[in-house]
Amino acid sequence: MGTRFFSLVAVASFFWLAHSLETHQLTEQPRLSSLLILLVSGISAFATSFFALWLPGANGRFDDDSGPLRVPRPNLPKKPRRYFLPMLVMCIILRLEIFHRVSFDLQCSRSGIEAWLPLVILLYDFISSRKARSSSNAEDKDYDDMGSTMFDAIGNWASDWATNSRVGLGMVTLAFTYGTYLASSHGIRSTFFCSSQENSSLVVFLQWIGLLLDAAIIIVLWRVISWARTTKIRLRTMSGILLASALGTGLLYGSSSLFKQSRPMSYHFRGLDSLYVFDVFVDGLTFSVFFVSTGLLLAEGSPLSLTGIVTFISGLLMALCNTVLIGSWENVTPSKTYFSLVLICLGFSFFVFLNNVRSVVFIHRALVVFFLALVTIAATIFSIVMTHKAQVDSHPLERLVYDARVEAGRWLVHATTSNSLAVAVQEYKERHNGRDPPPKFDIWYKFAKDRKSPIMDHFAQMERDIIPFWGITPEKIREDTRRVALEPDITIMKIQDGTANHEVPAGSPHKAVMDDLAEMIKPFAEHLPDIELAINLNNRPRVLAPWEDVHRFATAGRQKGLSRILSRRSAPAGDELTNSASPNQVIPRRDFTTVRAFREMTALTCPPGTSTRSGAHWDVRDFCSSCTNPHSQGTQDLRNWPLSQKLCHQSDLLRLHGFHTTPPELRPIQELLPVFGASKTDSYSDILIPLHHASERPSGSDRAFEMKRRSLFWRGSLDGHLAGPNSHELLRGGHQERLVHLANNASSTDKTTILLPSSTDTDRFAYEQVSTSELNALLPMDIGFTQSTCKDCNDDVARREFGVKPEADHDAADGQLMHQYVLVVDTNDGPPQDLLHIVRSASVPFQASIFKEWYSERLRAWIHFVPVDLRFHALHSTLAYFTGFNNNQGEIVNGREVKMAPRLEEGRWIAEQGRRWANTAIRRDDMETYLFRLLLEWGRVVDDRREQIGFVL
Ligand SMILES: *[C@@H]1O[C@H](CO)[C@@H](O)[C@H](O)[C@H]1NC(C)=O
């Protein structure tokens, strides 16, 4: 019973640990976490030792060993030496340090190296047994005759053979470890790159050293534990090892942080600190369960069968996951997947007999072998069927663009329903839980009609922005406005007696923006009530209120609208929800925010249970397909643009976007306060308002789409990408940095998956992996950074990494517009600066962004722009769809000729649609219309009689 119980526990806790590492908070402070975990598990192992009598095998031997008690165990190792214990502790400490070093540059590491562990242990076995054999003859194994099946008979025969021919064991171990290695090195890598400043071979070397250390730890532990007589002594020994390692790590950690400069402690955000303690505690306990059960298992079994079983289970799971992906874009090498699965199944089937493993976890080996045979047969059929299905009859983007057009037509009908005031009022009530439109709605309606606004009913963004404030009392909102205006870079726009005024002094860079806003309000100012607006003039959005608050207020806000139709009474005063902060409390101000604290604040804006909320995403090396699947629907293409801008299902974006990897210069406000701003991401609660960017460019010279170059163009500035304490991640993971690296500096081993016409039939397509640098040469791309414009910026590191390109590749005034396709991506602070500029031109914008502005909901993906996922994994494939390859006659790709004609017509259509729509729905008139409606809504929300004053026909 004992071994089965412990192996079940060991395997379960191993997978729990492997799984929880991805979602728990531990990785943000790796050293502290490992120290605490060792401590917790050491203490719990010690505590368990008092209950040793109740554990299986308490007398020092496991009771399912049916042989006579006093027979010496065949696999009893040599006696441990005295220096073994300190050596073990040293190995553990060193192993942890190597782990932290490799995790720090995880993007440079190679996956699958751990799979070789059984082979290393087998090597040790060979060497030590050769020595042992010369001194004494191998003892007979005690076979269990009772209930032995035919399988066992064969197995016994096989293990007899194995003792003679250790080569056999070596070969099968090699087979399934190699299979596991293949399976685990299969995945797609993310575009987070290994910078030239890192020594990637050092990281891989460290990984191999780590592997050797793992083997050493297991073997030494085995020898130590096997010679301890009772379970109690074993538990005490292990607890001692854990505590000594904790002490050692603590000393190392303490002494190294003495020499380092103290960094500002991160801000204590609510909720997460206790979560960290909880994670440490749970993982510590699990780790001790794992360590103890492994240790006890080791004492009875052999290191080889233990590591073999764990490697096999992980390998089999990975190979099965890969097999399921056959036929999708994520697995284009079905033969490799199949080969790895067969190696694992076949290798392990022989391994259980040759190494005399009687049961795997708790399943008899005969059953395991039978199961593996079934798996192999099923996988064979599945692979053949899915490989045939992998070829598609038409390019999926054709269908996608077509569907998008149909959907856009439907959307337009929905957005422009109203042709009379009565219908508009009706539509409004339907879309606002039965709430009446704000006062003066008729005047707004006429205003919008006069200005030929195409959008009369669809203001979803405005609704979302304002609804939480219906859950806060008007008095409190007015107070909050004045309070938040004291924050840096926030100023008040005061509308009183039909005029709009602000107090930004002349000479301030923000004066033009505020003047322009006042100018925009002027035409309808006489219809507005007296209100004050807090306007954010900083580039970054400000209000990062936790999800719980926003959700609570928004729910309360919606319910009021509902109760209003049910009973036409106004809600009694005083039952309104109040914000937790007292009115005249000063907002806690500490401007410096570390990237880590900022990320944690952002995580708090996601609902509990989502991947972003639950923890830090640390695996930057591998492509996160669970992050893209919701908005890509399991394909490579971006299929749901609005969803792709939401953060809560894409925890990896917290490390793949420059906005999340640069510390904000002003601390975000973690309270739901009324702040109006030009742009935000979905995490923020700012209210979007049309603001004219001071930096908006005048439209330069443009020409017809056909007259432009068939290429994709992008230029970014090196400003703000400087070397600094926080730039380690930015330099390797920032979205602009990844883009430039991908397009110019792909290494020889980098691969990109792209949809190509099949070799036999150009009307059929299939995904293939092509060397990224080869693709970069075949596709017309012109992407890079320009020289930084600021004088005293130290951009040496970035310049060396990415190189610099000239502003434009010719003398034309507006270089961007010389290209048919122009990439627009976010800056590190906000939305792309030139999106509207490109939409209005005859070029096609390729947009990669998480930011929104007031007009964002009016632009539709695949109609007005081409959406690009910020991971850039589909950039080549999408571009190739539009441009074809450089040479229309055909190019050699993957050793065969591929012809891919450009789709000029599709590109021209998108460019034209965008231009027309921008000149219809995103004009200055539309800004004013949006602003008018927003201010009417706002005027009502801050009015004490807001429940009564709605507009009724
Ligand atoms: C990356 O590519 C650019 C342009 O091709 C080049 O100037 C730069 O030196 C490259 N960087 C590295 C680290 O090789």
Side-chain angles (χ1 to χ4, degrees), residues 22 329-330 611 617 622-634 648-652 871:
E22 278 176 32
W329 76 277
E330 285 182 71
S611 70
H617 184 98
D622 301 308
F623 179 78
C624 171
S625 51
S626 66
C627 302
T628 59
N629 273 343
H631 58 261
S632 295
Q633 295 158 8
C648 294
H649 65 281
Q650 338 183 45
S651 48
D652 60 340
R871 294 164 194 82

Side-chain angles (χ1 to χ4, degrees), residues 196 744-745 800-803:
S196 62
N744 299 312
N745 301 85
R800 229 175 304 128
E801 187 68 44
F802 305 108

